[in-house]
Amino acid sequence: MRTQVAIIGAGPAGLMLGHLLDLYGIDSVILENRSKDYVVDRVRAGVLEQPVVDLMVQTGIGTRLMREGLRHEGVHFAFGGTRRHINFVEHTGKAIWVYGQNEVVRDLIAAREATGQPLHFEVEEVAVHDVESGHPSVTYCHDGAAHRLEADFIAGCDGFHGISRPAFPAGMLRGFERVYPFAWLGILAHAAPSSEELVYSLHERGFALFSMRTPQITRLYLQCATDDDIANWPDERIWSELQLRLSTSDGWKPNEGEIFQKGITPMRSFVAEPMQWGRLFLAGDAAHIVPPTGAKGLNLAVADVRVLADGLSRYYKGDGETALQAYSDTCLGRIWKVQRFSWWMTSMLHRQSEGVDFDLRRQMAELDYVTSSKAAMTSLAENYVGLDLNVPVPPGS
Ligand code: APR
Ligand code: PHB
């Protein structure tokens, strides 16, 4: 079997890459080790930057997003009992959209299936070969049979725990990591959101976040310990902690409802450099992880694959490999800026120790500054709505 680009992983990175390549007229095969249901139902963050929304609309996969997505003009920050709003549109002319990551995945799978291009779920034993030659290949098992897929290029879009990054030769990759001393407990509840926009809160007892999925479903998060067990968090404890950390003196508080999903997620910042070895390219979580404060994971993955699809389209147009060779450096410039923003939001909003101390006072002052200085609000807004990405949209869209 042969294709132009073998894509490992059907998360947002792999699926979006397949979609963009298809618009450029480039063939690909997507190999995913999980089932379709698992991939579609996986609960993840739900905020799309303006550039991602524009891309989805311009490339024909934005119909449901426009119908069901919630356009937000800004976010609130709660601290010291007060709630302050930053209006992104006022500061940048751009907005964000609340739309579950799994909905993006669902739309991308539907688009892929409509093209008839291969997307195989439940493949096993995926391995990459001859990456430094002009003829790389991927071997895998599917439906009990062994396969070899020959390709011009391989895209490792297989997330943090995939096989692509570990396939790099020893000593070739440098990893930069920060593991945070806290985690997020996240819930989904059947409760109408009581605020039209997100509320990020810093409280003496820790961080809390009010978000949503639909006009009937609220998404909420609480800072908890890294070794915490979800069994320690019966619903009553979750609600009382959320009320304590989120309610503000203007009378605002989250609506309660039946909790139908809960889980604890660790937090880390990670970057692997470089993102290319021979004809193997890493994209999305395979190359980097951001802590969820600011919801940049999917947005960053999409930025990577836009750069990669553009480089591949130039190669197939006959422009050579210059753009592909610049892939890693082009992406890393943006990745580190987004890492900085996610780390900064995380540091500003989480408690690192118990009780009232220097750091809490300093963080409160920072929130006061960030929500009152025009320059600071513009800087936060510019990063939140998505830094500019100078990559063309495929002409076939
Ligand atoms: N073979 C095939 N597929 C694999 C393998 C493998 N050996 N290992 C992992 N995968 C699949 C995973 O099952 C997953 O579906 O690769 C996919 C990677 O998808 P994501 O983890 O969603 O990563 P990515 O597409 O880069 O998207 C980044 O997703 O992790 C979230 O919140 C994060 O928003 C971020 C976004
Ligand atoms: C979410 O809705 O899941 C969400 C929103 C904002 C974040 C992180 C997650 O910063």
Side-chain angles (χ1 to χ4, degrees), residues 97-155:
W97 290 69
V98 170
Y99 189 66
Q101 177 169 316
N102 58 321
E103 304 302 337
V104 176
V105 165
R106 198 190 299 272
D107 294 340
L108 283 166
I109 291 176
R112 178 81 183 179
E113 287 175 345
T115 66
Q117 292 236 32
L119 163 57
H120 301 302
F121 290 98
E122 298 182 66
V123 302
E124 294 174 314
E125 294 172 42
V126 177
V128 298
H129 309 276
D130 304 321
V131 165
E132 281 179 297
S133 76
H135 307 282
S137 62
V138 181
T139 51
Y140 61 97
C141 293
H142 190 224
D143 288 337
H147 299 270
R148 175 176 292 270
L149 174 63
E150 290 172 358
D152 298 330
F153 299 97
I154 303 173

Side-chain angles (χ1 to χ4, degrees), residues 288-299:
H288 43 74
I289 297 282
V290 285
T293 334
K296 290 293 176 201
L298 176 142
N299 297 292

Side-chain angles (χ1 to χ4, degrees), residues 188-193 214 216-218 239 255-261:
L188 282 167
H190 290 296
T214 69
Q216 297 81 34
I217 296 176
T218 306
W239 286 120
N255 284 338
E256 296 187 14
E258 182 212 343
I259 297 176
F260 63 94
Q261 200 272 342

Side-chain angles (χ1 to χ4, degrees), residues 131-136 151-154 276-281 307-308 310-328 330:
V131 165
E132 281 179 297
S133 76
H135 307 282
D152 298 330
F153 299 97
I154 303 173
Q276 177 195 0
W277 165 45
R279 292 198 159 208
L280 171 63
F281 296 84
V307 175
L308 185 52
D310 180 56
L312 289 165
S313 79
R314 286 169 198 269
Y315 170 85
Y316 285 111
K317 260 198 326 213
D319 292 354
E321 294 197 32
T322 317
L324 283 175
Q325 270 150 15
Y327 169 73
S328 191
T330 307

Side-chain angles (χ1 to χ4, degrees), residues 7-15 31-35 38-39 42-45 101 105 120-121 123-127 156-164 283-290 292 295-302 304-305:
I7 301 175
I8 308 175
L15 289 165
L31 303 171
E32 164 62 50
N33 66 352
R34 301 287 193 154
S35 69
Y38 179 91
V39 170
R42 194 163 35 188
V43 177
R44 296 277 183 75
Q101 177 169 316
V105 165
H120 301 302
F121 290 98
V123 302
E124 294 174 314
E125 294 172 42
V126 177
C157 302
D158 47 352
F160 187 67
H161 301 288
I163 53 97
S164 300
D285 277 15
H288 43 74
I289 297 282
V290 285
K296 290 293 176 201
L298 176 142
N299 297 292
L300 203 48
V302 170
D304 289 351
V305 299

Side-chain angles (χ1 to χ4, degrees), residues 24 303 306-310 314 330 389-393:
Y24 279 120
R306 290 186 69 174
V307 175
L308 185 52
D310 180 56
R314 286 169 198 269
T330 307
L389 182 67
N390 194 15
V391 179
V393 170

Side-chain angles (χ1 to χ4, degrees), residues 193-263:
S194 56
S195 162
E196 283 191 0
E197 295 182 336
L198 272 55
V199 183
Y200 286 91
S201 173
L202 172 64
H203 189 273
E204 194 188 319
R205 295 173 67 87
F207 169 79
L209 169 61
F210 170 93
S211 181
M212 65 204 70
R213 285 293 174 271
T214 69
Q216 297 81 34
I217 296 176
T218 306
R219 175 84 170 141
L220 296 138
Y221 297 96
L222 281 171
Q223 176 182 350
C224 66
T226 47
D227 59 356
D228 216 334
D229 187 337
I230 200 71
N232 296 331
W233 289 89
D235 293 2
E236 311 73 61
R237 179 171 177 218
I238 293 177
W239 286 120
S240 77
E241 202 60 35
L242 283 166
Q243 297 294 356
L244 212 65
R245 295 190 200 179
L246 281 167
S247 305
T248 41
S249 53
D250 55 4
W252 181 78
K253 58 184 174 61
N255 284 338
E256 296 187 14
E258 182 212 343
I259 297 176
F260 63 94
Q261 200 272 342
K262 51 178 156 176

